[in-house]
Structure formats: C-alpha cells, structure tokens
Amino acid sequence: MRSKCGNVLPLVLGLLLVLSILVTAMLKMPGALRRNVSLVAKETQEMYFAESAVLAKLNGFPDGYFAELPIVESRILGPWTEWRVLDKFQFVLGSEYGRFSTSEWARCAVVLEQNLHERILHSDGLKNLSGNRRFFKLDSSDGLSAERAMAINVSAGDLTLDLGDFSVRSFMANVEGDVKIRGNVHFDTLRIYATGSVSVQGNVTADFAEIFGLASVTVSGNVSLAGALLSKQNIEISDRAQMKFPSVALAVGYRENRLSLLEKSVFEGLAIAPSGTVERDSSAKLLDSTQVLLPFCMETRNLVFSRRRL
C-alpha cells in the first residue's frame, strides 16, 4: 500500500505542477493579448492618420488644416517626390499619365538634370579632384570611405570605379569626362553626373540610382539598378541587365537619339525617347508602368504609387 502511495504522490505533484503552470499562463494571456491588441490599434491609428494627412495634401489642404493630422514632409527623390509622415511612413509620388509633346519632355529632362547636378555639387563634404581618377578601393589617401556618404567633383578627367566585394552607403560624383563603374559592388544610393559617357557593368547593384551621361548611358551585364537614367543622346540596357521598379529612362536631346533594350535585359518602368527611337529586341522585357511613374516635373495630378513603413 505504501508502495502504491509512493508511486501516486510524484504523479499528483507532477499534475499539480503542470496545472499550476497552465493556470499561470492562462492568467497571463488576457494581459498579453490586451497589450498586443493595444499595440496593433496604435499602429493602425498612426497609419490611418498618416494616410489621411497624405490624402488631405493631395487634395490641396494646407498643413495644419486638420489639427489632429501630422505634418507631411516632402523632398525630391530622383524623378519623383517623397512624402514622409512622423518619420515612420514613406509615400512616393508620381504624376498621373497623360500625353505630352517632345518639348514638354525636353523641359522635364532639363529639370531632372539640373536637380541632380545641384544635389551633387551642393552636397556636404564635396571633395574636389582633378585629372583622371581610378579607384580599386574607397579607403584611400583621397579620404574616401565606404562607411559614409561620399561626394566628389572630378574636373578635366575621367573617373573609373573598379571595386571588388564592396558595399557603399552613398556615392555621388560630378565628372567632366567619362565614368566607368564595374566590379562587385553594392550601392545604397548612387548618383552620377557626367559630361561624357557613363558605363555600368559587372556585378553592380544599387537600391536607388540617378545617372546622367550627356553623350550616353550604358548598363550591361549582371547589373541591377532602380532609379533614373538620363541622356541627351543614347541610353542602352543590354546583356541581362535589370532596371527594377520603379525606374525611368529618358533619352531626349536636340538631335535624333535612341533608347535600346537588348539581349535579355529587363526594364520595369517608363522607358522613352521622345525625339528619337526606342529599340527593343525580342529577348528584352519592358514592363511598362507609365500610369504611375511619370516624373514630378510633368504637370499633372500627383498620385501615390509606393507606400511603406520605415
């Protein structure tokens, strides 16, 4: 009998322990659940106020018109406009699609070119260099570092970035000559303004890129970019290169010019050559998003085509 009692006692104690754990967990669940529901409700309310503030701004109401709504901060993001609310939500705006003349596209291209040029030349810490420059790494005697935002002005010379296994936060360059970017490198942000040609090739990626090449812009090989390509003559995307959503390629100038999509390249966005020709072979893919991707300088109604929590 004692043996049976001895066997049952540990079992009873084990059951009591399990029940006590379950009861404790059950007692805690309502409070944890309430906290989760409260957090979701707060985040939903923040998003609701942010979207309401953006809708009010889209409809022409001035900041502060609705007292409960937060302020919408705006800045130019390449060819589009970025609105931020509470520094938590990002809304990217394009212009509603419409038919535009070549002269209107030319005016827009000038605005985009000037904005890019001024953004680079007025950036903090701009470093002035002269003559041909070639970089195999960015931790160099010139004081350039991959760990921070870099901005350089190269006068009377070409620029070559031939980087291997690099990740760069931000790189901007104004160059009085040609630019070549190649190697195995990832840019968070890449901005190039060149009075000559710009060539991007190799294993180069950029989360956001703005590139202007007066003579030409060429993107080829295992390159993956998103952003804007501008030229007053020719733009070519070839050899499996990818321009991801959202992207704009605008080749517009005073003479006949050409925009080419070749050799299994992929372009997601708006590719246009208003005063010239668009060439696309059967292997290239053009995923047109013109309904929401027109640049901000086209005077039509704004609309939001991208929204995310920061």
Side-chain angles (χ1 to χ4, degrees), residues 106-124:
R107 181 191 61 80
C108 178
V110 169
V111 173
L112 295 174
E113 174 194 341
Q114 290 176 344
N115 283 344
L116 173 60
H117 198 211
E118 292 174 2
R119 191 177 302 116
I120 296 173
L121 290 180
H122 295 158
S123 59
D124 293 335

Side-chain angles (χ1 to χ4, degrees), residues 31-59:
L33 184 59
R34 282 196 300 271
R35 286 192 295 273
N36 287 336
V37 170
S38 176
L39 179 60
V40 170
K42 180 183 177 182
E43 291 179 347
T44 302
Q45 188 67 47
E46 284 183 340
M47 175 59 82
Y48 170 78
F49 279 143
E51 291 184 338
S52 297
V54 167
L55 286 172
K57 194 173 182 70
L58 281 171
N59 285 281

Side-chain angles (χ1 to χ4, degrees), residues 46-64 66 68-74 81-94 301-308:
E46 284 183 340
M47 175 59 82
Y48 170 78
F49 279 143
E51 291 184 338
S52 297
V54 167
L55 286 172
K57 194 173 182 70
L58 281 171
N59 285 281
F61 290 98
D63 288 333
F66 299 101
E68 69 275 17
L69 296 183
I71 299 299
V72 178
E73 298 178 347
S74 64
T81 304
E82 178 197 50
W83 287 355
R84 289 197 180 196
V85 183
L86 302 172
D87 209 30
K88 291 184 177 181
F89 305 98
Q90 179 198 55
F91 301 83
V92 181
L93 287 79
R301 186 172 65 90
N302 282 332
L303 51 88
V304 174
F305 69 84
S306 176
R307 179 194 69 181
R308 71 184 182 99

Side-chain angles (χ1 to χ4, degrees), residues 134-293:
R134 184 166 184 169
F135 294 96
F136 294 99
K137 61 180 182 177
L138 294 179
D139 298 306
S140 69
S141 59
D142 288 307
L144 303 178
S145 170
E147 299 300 323
R148 60 184 177 83
M150 296 165 286
I152 62 174
N153 177 44
V154 180
S155 59
D158 301 330
L159 170 67
T160 298
L161 297 181
D162 197 348
L163 307 175
D165 296 322
F166 257 83
S167 182
V168 182
R169 185 161 66 88
S170 173
F171 184 86
M172 295 182 284
N174 177 70
V175 181
E176 295 179 359
D178 297 333
V179 175
K180 294 180 181 178
I181 302 174
R182 57 197 181 200
N184 184 17
V185 57
H186 170 262
F187 298 93
D188 288 346
T189 303
L190 174 66
R191 291 185 169 97
I192 301 293
Y193 186 99
T195 59
S197 299
V198 179
S199 172
V200 184
Q201 58 187 146
N203 296 312
V204 178
T205 62
D207 297 334
F208 183 76
E210 287 182 89
I211 299 174
F212 171 82
L214 178 63
S216 67
V217 176
T218 303
V219 179
S220 62
N222 192 30
V223 175
S224 177
L225 310 175
L229 307 179
L230 304 171
S231 178
K232 290 189 176 179
Q233 294 188 36
N234 301 318
I235 296 176
E236 181 179 296
I237 300 116
S238 63
D239 192 19
R240 301 176 186 270
Q242 296 185 46
M243 293 296 300
K244 295 186 174 181
F245 179 87
S247 290
V248 165
L250 179 57
V252 55
Y254 302 105
R255 300 176 181 177
E256 184 174 327
N257 48 317
R258 186 182 74 258
L259 190 151
S260 302
L261 303 175
L262 308 170
E263 301 164 352
K264 297 184 179 182
S265 61
V266 178
F267 193 96
E268 301 178 21
L270 172 64
I272 188 169
S275 57
T277 58
V278 175
E279 174 188 5
R280 178 163 66 97
D281 69 21
S282 58
S283 68
K285 292 183 180 180
L286 174 58
L287 306 177
D288 195 355
S289 303
T290 53
Q291 296 298 325
V292 292
L293 283 179

